[in-house]
Amino acid sequence: MSTKKLWWGFAAVIVFSFAVLGYYGWEIYREAPPIPKQVVTESGRVLFIEAEILDGQSVWQSIGGQEVGTVWGHGSYVAPDWSADWLHREAVFMLHAWAQRDKGKAYDQLNEEEQAALQARLQKELRKNTYDPATGTLTVSDLRAEAIANNSRHYTGLFMNDPELAELREQYALKDNTIKDPERGRLINGFFFWASWACVTERPGDEISYTNNWPHEPLVGNLPPGTLHIWTGFSVIILIAGVSLLAYYYASHQEEELNPDRPKNDPLLNLTPTPSMKATLKYFWVVALLFVVQVALGATTAHYGVEGQALFGLPLAEILPYSLTRTYHVQLGILWIATSWLAMGLYIAPAVSGYEPPFQKLGVNVLFCALLVIVVGSMAGQWFGVMQEMGLEANFWFGHQGLEYVDLGRFWQIFLFAGLFIWLFLMVRAILPAFKNQAENKHLLTMFVISSAAIALFYGAGLMWGRHSNLAITEYWRWWVVHLWVEGFFEVFATVVIAFLFVKLGLLRAKLANESVIFATIIFLFGGIIGTFHHLYFSGTPTAVLALGATFSALEVVPLVLIGFEAYHNLQLSKATPWVQTYKWPIYCFVAVAFWNLVGAGILGFLINPPIALYYMQGLNTTPVHGHTALFGVYGMLGIGLMLFALRGMNRKISWPEKPLKIAFWSINIGLALMVAISVLPIGLIQTWASVKFGLWYARSAEFMSSDTLEVWRWMRVIGDTIFAVGVLVLAWFVLRIGIPKADNGPVAKPDKPSEPLKPQIEPEKELVA
């Protein structure tokens, strides 16, 4: 296929996909679960008003939000899903009340027919939509109001300091007085009620709830609707068809991509890093340090699942509770991976173009300082927010937004958004001269600029919601950031950078690299953009979102099924010529990326992506199985590989010790595999059984999660975590001891004749002529 046709295909995919994403985003705005102006009883008593429900959402976010249990299945996994837990407690209270009033017995003492009759009565009451759009009033029965009051007493005591709930707090990894103000305790109950109301109340004119009958709760009639089965079957058909077509394409367009005229010596041997390229070294040092801290916080977070308020007896939760350790663990993971990729972009731009713009080094240093301020400032703000030392408005701006992967306060989000545009400016000004003197790479250069611009622009989706936005709308935009920014255009950027590296090393022909990158981008984004909807099946979205998400998320898996070609191809590259062995471990990282793309993003991703599977699995430990293997296995290993490539370029004339990189590479990958295989995945599958049989509330309950069986599986994680941590520490030690050498410190292979470098060293304000 010609490059021109590929570009037309790329443009068509972008326009079509974002048109669909935008149109159904508008539908989400229209059909999101309404927030009533007031919730009143049949006798006229006001329970909550709109402002209290929205402020309750802000209270939930201030204590960590999705880092403290889940709502609608999104968040952390030690505490329960509050929407499912509230709904179950409300249902049980009402069933017991009716049983006592009508039969004079406890509900559990009734026979099956009597229980079934009460369940039918319960479903009729809870599922009926009593919201009046004309007045904005939601009416509930007096008995349901009693259930709401009972739940409110429970949650207020739980989040504050009720001694009768001390054991439950520890099992949920909640510190005492997670909420200090009784008024805030009252407000959070309004939000929990609304979130659970959306789970059971049927949409107007329909027989399914706002959340497509999620969570599974047989007592209230929350069972998987037929649409879940239909679109699950269709997604499997689409997957098979997509794999078949892509396999045919590979077979019919199979060409030898390795350059037959590979150089005998390393083309980068005589490359002297420019001042701005050298300035990126400190970025990689910070990457190594953040990686170590992130792993330490991850181990602490995992331990809280066993000892909820302490670390081996040390009362750590008083100053660093679970919600904060998990926040920092997730946030630092995103930050060190992104920092590695951004630093690689700053490193490679002058290397590719042969041009060091004026004050480029200053720009790189300013951006570095800005990133440090964001990391330190946002973490400090989150601590003050979670410790309830901020007002709700201040918390939104400077504290904790309570949204997984987008936990930064709004001020820090804006700061980071501005920083990404500084990065984009530095990248583009350095790369533009290459368009004039490298015509053979113009397609790669164009995709490089497009993906860089997308990285800066799409983080802006995180600014599209406000403090009082409907949670369904907030989730829509949050997944733009998590899925499109992190999983989408960062991957396109990395693909382009890797292609550049292999072309400049003389291992790939430029023409085929150009075509392969554009084709891979088309295939990935065709499923990936609209596939964002697979995160929103049960987040207050209409059925059309479920259908689109199921269909296109299946297409996301298609290119991953044939990822073995990429792994084999990268292994070939590592053995192409003897001098390529100096790049062995960066290339091995790219092989690991291919492996985890297949296993983590492909197999384990598709395990939970089909609607009927996710209906039972959302919010269980099957999600972090996919999260760890896809986020770290793919993007983390990519970040490590790109970092090692840049460090290799800075230290090209010295020999690297083989042993530490070998230990780091295998320990990290084996540790990750064991962490998943002997702990997190078994727990998730056991929870799935409980969710199918009894309901999601039970699969997430303290009673079930504290069982001896699951306790053993949680402790088994220590094996994989320890091996993984050893690899991380060795890698960090290796990176931190590397500096820019002033002279040769070891033997290197000398070329027979000088090989053309990318460009020799450049003084600022001077452009090289090829």
Side-chain angles (χ1 to χ4, degrees):
M1 187 179 295
S2 70
T3 307
K4 184 178 180 180
K5 290 182 179 179
L6 287 171
W7 277 114
W8 277 111
F10 172 76
V13 165
I14 294 294
V15 171
F16 168 75
S17 298
F18 279 105
V20 172
L21 203 63
Y23 175 79
Y24 284 100
W26 174 248
E27 289 295 294
I28 292 172
Y29 271 82
R30 284 199 322 108
E31 299 189 32
I35 301 176
K37 294 186 182 302
Q38 59 178 356
V39 180
V40 301
T41 66
E42 291 173 336
S43 57
R45 184 162 56 95
V46 177
L47 301 181
F48 305 107
I49 61 173
E50 180 182 20
E52 291 173 333
I53 293 172
L54 292 172
D55 279 342
Q57 179 174 306
S58 295
V59 172
W60 167 69
Q61 290 174 287
S62 75
I63 65 173
Q66 291 174 340
E67 308 295 355
V68 187
T70 58
V71 168
W72 294 350
H74 295 297
S76 61
Y77 311 99
V78 175
D81 180 274
W82 304 113
S83 44
D85 191 64
W86 177 289
L87 182 60
H88 181 75
R89 290 178 182 276
E90 190 176 37
V92 169
F93 180 92
M94 294 176 70
L95 289 172
H96 278 291
W98 280 328
Q100 287 289 351
R101 293 177 188 179
D102 298 348
K103 304 292 183 180
K105 299 179 182 178
Y107 173 76
D108 297 338
Q109 296 175 337
L110 301 180
N111 60 43
E112 291 184 4
E113 289 79 7
E114 292 172 323
Q115 288 184 347
L118 289 184
Q119 286 182 28
R121 181 178 174 184
L122 176 72
Q123 292 169 20
K124 184 177 180 180
E125 175 164 337
L126 294 188
R127 300 191 69 82
K128 182 180 179 181
N129 195 329
T130 57
Y131 172 74
D132 182 357
T135 62
T137 299
L138 171 63
T139 305
V140 300
S141 69
D142 290 333
L143 177 61
R144 190 173 188 182
E146 291 180 32
I148 292 169
N150 182 71
N151 277 7
S152 297
R153 286 190 294 272
H154 169 78
Y155 286 113
T156 300
L158 178 68
F159 285 109
M160 295 189 73
N161 199 21
D162 185 343
E164 293 183 3
L165 297 174
E167 183 180 356
L168 191 59
R169 263 194 301 277
E170 183 175 359
Q171 291 170 329
Y172 288 168
L174 292 171
K175 77 180 189 72
D176 294 346
N177 289 314
T178 295
I179 294 176
K180 298 178 180 179
D181 182 359
E183 175 60 14
R184 288 193 176 191
R186 186 183 73 83
L187 293 173
I188 200 173
N189 288 311
F191 170 66
F192 284 166
F193 162 73
W194 173 80
S196 67
W197 172 83
C199 291
V200 70
T201 302
E202 293 177 350
R203 287 182 177 275
D206 211 333
E207 295 182 352
I208 58 174
S209 73
Y210 286 102
T211 59
N212 289 309
N213 283 1
W214 188 95
H216 180 223
E217 175 55 89
L219 286 180
V220 300
N222 261 14
L223 302 172
T227 50
L228 267 67
H229 298 279
I230 292 170
W231 289 109
T232 295
F234 188 71
S235 69
V236 173
I237 294 171
I238 288 292
L239 173 63
I240 295 171
V243 170
S244 301
L245 289 173
L246 192 60
Y248 171 78
Y249 180 88
Y250 266 75
S252 60
H253 290 77
Q254 191 172 18
E255 295 184 62
E256 180 58 52
E257 291 192 13
L258 290 181
N259 188 353
D261 301 318
R262 295 186 293 275
K264 295 181 180 179
N265 300 289
D266 184 357
L268 305 185
L269 186 61
N270 295 327
L271 171 67
T272 303
T274 69
S276 71
M277 292 165 68
K278 293 179 182 178
T280 62
L281 179 62
K282 55 183 168 288
Y283 283 74
F284 298 119
W285 285 341
V286 168
V287 165
L289 290 172
L290 291 182
F291 193 11
V292 171
V293 174
Q294 188 224 355
V295 170
L297 289 166
T300 305
T301 302
H303 185 80
Y304 274 138
V306 178
E307 195 178 1
Q309 295 179 331
L311 182 67
F312 298 106
L314 180 69
L316 185 64
E318 292 301 314
I319 57 171
L320 201 64
Y322 171 90
S323 56
L324 271 173
T325 62
R326 191 177 190 275
T327 297
Y328 293 160
H329 174 65
V330 173
Q331 183 171 299
L332 290 180
I334 296 291
L335 287 173
W336 77 254
I337 292 171
T339 300
S340 177
W341 292 21
L342 297 179
M344 185 58 182
L346 294 171
Y347 175 85
I348 201 173
V352 168
S353 67
Y355 174 65
E356 176 89 338
F359 307 111
Q360 183 78 354
K361 178 182 177 182
L362 175 63
V364 170
N365 289 335
V366 168
L367 180 61
F368 177 77
C369 294
L371 291 175
L372 287 184
V373 170
I374 291 169
V375 172
V376 175
S378 64
M379 291 177 71
Q382 286 159 349
W383 188 89
F384 281 103
V386 168
M387 302 305 283
Q388 300 291 280
E389 299 295 335
M390 285 184 175
L392 297 180
E393 183 77 22
N395 176 75
F396 174 78
W397 281 96
F398 300 101
H400 200 306
Q401 283 205 55
L403 301 170
E404 193 177 29
Y405 299 109
V406 198
D407 295 297
L408 285 76
R410 177 55 53 86
F411 172 81
W412 305 110
Q413 279 186 295
I414 295 172
F415 199 161
L416 179 55
F417 190 46
L420 289 172
F421 273 93
I422 295 173
W423 172 78
L424 177 62
F425 171 73
L426 295 172
M427 294 276 291
V428 172
R429 72 198 293 255
I431 205 74
L432 280 179
F435 282 91
K436 299 178 182 178
N437 54 32
Q438 296 189 33
E440 75 280 5
N441 289 326
K442 67 177 182 180
H443 300 294
L444 277 178
L445 291 167
T446 302
M447 190 62 77
F448 183 81
V449 172
I450 290 173
S451 60
S452 299
I455 287 171
L457 288 168
F458 277 90
Y459 187 73
L463 307 177
M464 297 301 291
W465 64 81
R467 183 166 76 89
H468 283 162
S469 291
N470 188 302
L471 184 61
I473 293 168
T474 300
E475 282 293 279
Y476 169 72
W477 288 113
R478 182 175 77 91
W479 285 108
W480 271 60
V481 178
V482 178
H483 189 88
L484 290 178
W485 186 65
V486 176
E487 299 181 28
F489 289 99
F490 256 119
E491 180 150 328
V492 175
F493 173 79
T495 302
V496 177
V497 169
I498 293 171
F500 259 130
L501 293 173
F502 287 152
V503 168
K504 288 304 179 183
L505 287 173
L507 301 178
L508 288 181
R509 288 178 287 173
K511 180 178 182 299
L512 277 176
N514 288 330
E515 294 174 359
S516 298
V517 165
I518 302 171
F519 179 74
T521 301
I522 291 171
I523 294 297
F524 180 78
L525 293 183
F526 182 68
I529 294 175
I530 302 177
T532 303
F533 283 145
H534 81 257
H535 299 286
L536 301 172
Y537 292 158
F538 313 117
S539 297
T541 54
T543 303
V545 168
L546 186 150
L548 288 166
T551 302
F552 284 87
S553 66
L555 291 174
E556 283 187 271
V557 182
V558 168
L560 304 180
V561 173
L562 299 178
I563 207 74
F565 285 104
E566 180 185 335
Y568 176 72
H569 173 255
N570 288 338
L571 277 173
Q572 279 187 306
L573 291 177
S574 71
K575 302 173 183 178
T577 59
W579 59 263
V580 178
Q581 287 296 303
T582 58
Y583 298 97
K584 173 182 175 181
W585 292 110
I587 294 175
Y588 269 36
C589 286
F590 301 150
V591 174
V593 167
F595 172 80
W596 290 114
N597 241 330
L598 173 61
V599 175
I603 297 172
L604 297 175
F606 196 71
L607 171 70
I608 62 175
N609 274 4
I612 193 62
L614 194 58
Y615 178 80
Y616 293 108
M617 291 181 175
Q618 180 153 297
L620 305 184
N621 275 269
T622 45
T623 303
V625 166
H626 168 61
H628 280 85
T629 53
L631 179 60
F632 175 78
V634 178
Y635 302 103
M637 289 306 299
L638 257 177
I640 293 171
L642 294 175
M643 174 176 67
L644 292 178
F645 240 117
L647 293 175
R648 179 73 276 186
M650 295 180 195
N651 296 270
R652 188 62 197 88
K653 295 186 178 181
I654 65 170
S655 298
W656 274 7
E658 173 89 358
K659 190 172 182 180
L661 286 177
K662 183 177 182 179
I663 293 172
F665 176 84
W666 289 112
S667 294
I668 287 173
N669 283 282
I670 291 173
L672 178 61
L674 290 175
M675 176 200 312
V676 169
I678 65 176
S679 181
V680 188
L681 181 58
I683 291 173
L685 294 177
I686 294 170
Q687 281 184 294
T688 301
W689 168 83
S691 176
V692 172
K693 188 167 184 179
F694 301 108
L696 183 101
W697 73 271
Y698 180 70
R700 291 287 300 274
S701 68
E703 174 189 359
F704 182 72
M705 292 300 292
S706 299
S707 65
D708 292 340
T709 300
L710 291 185
E711 195 87 349
V712 170
W713 285 112
R714 275 196 292 273
W715 276 109
M716 291 288 286
R717 180 170 171 170
V718 172
I719 299 171
D721 284 4
T722 302
I723 296 172
F724 185 90
V726 169
V728 172
L729 289 173
V730 173
L731 177 68
W733 170 82
F734 178 83
V735 171
L736 292 173
R737 67 185 288 269
I738 286 185
I740 300 176
K742 304 205 181 289
D744 290 356
N745 292 325
V748 296
K750 299 296 182 182
D752 297 329
K753 57 180 181 179
S755 50
E756 184 181 351
L758 292 181
K759 294 292 176 184
Q761 184 170 354
I762 313 156
E763 294 296 327
E765 305 184 18
K766 294 182 180 179
E767 181 177 357
L768 286 176
V769 179

